[in-house]
Amino acid sequence: MNNEIEDILRELYDRLGDSRELDIEFMQMLERDADLNDLYTEWCQANSYRPRNGYREYIELLVEQRDSVWDAYNEYDS
């Protein structure tokens, strides 16, 4: 369950970046697919996110994680 939502969000981020387009695309996906919407709601509950902005909190965490990898690489390379 968790991996499917996170996979979708990572794919959207990789394709659209941290943008308004990502927000619109994900919201449209949830509106079109009731099963995905239910899965997302369960994912939010399991991760203590509010459904209104849980995906956004996850994207912010993803960005921070990816930045920290580059920071560690840059420190190692110095």
Side-chain angles (χ1 to χ4, degrees):
M1 170 183 67
N2 283 349
N3 288 342
E4 186 173 348
I5 294 298
E6 291 172 7
D7 288 346
I8 290 168
L9 291 171
R10 279 191 300 273
E11 186 274 327
L12 287 172
Y13 176 76
D14 289 343
R15 186 165 43 94
L16 301 171
D18 189 9
S19 68
R20 179 83 177 124
E21 293 164 5
L22 181 148
D23 297 339
I24 292 168
E25 178 70 21
F26 188 63
M27 289 297 122
Q28 288 176 347
M29 291 171 69
L30 294 178
E31 288 175 11
R32 287 190 305 259
D33 188 338
D35 291 336
L36 181 62
N37 195 350
D38 291 343
L39 190 63
Y40 173 68
T41 300
E42 291 174 18
W43 176 82
C44 285
Q45 290 173 347
N47 291 286
S48 300
Y49 293 137
R50 294 184 319 206
R52 179 178 172 99
N53 62 358
Y55 75 95
R56 173 58 45 205
E57 291 180 42
Y58 178 77
I59 292 296
E60 290 171 4
L61 179 64
L62 180 64
V63 170
E64 288 175 14
Q65 289 173 340
R66 289 184 177 184
D67 286 347
S68 71
V69 167
W70 282 110
D71 290 344
Y73 175 77
N74 288 336
E75 287 176 13
Y76 177 77
D77 195 39
S78 297

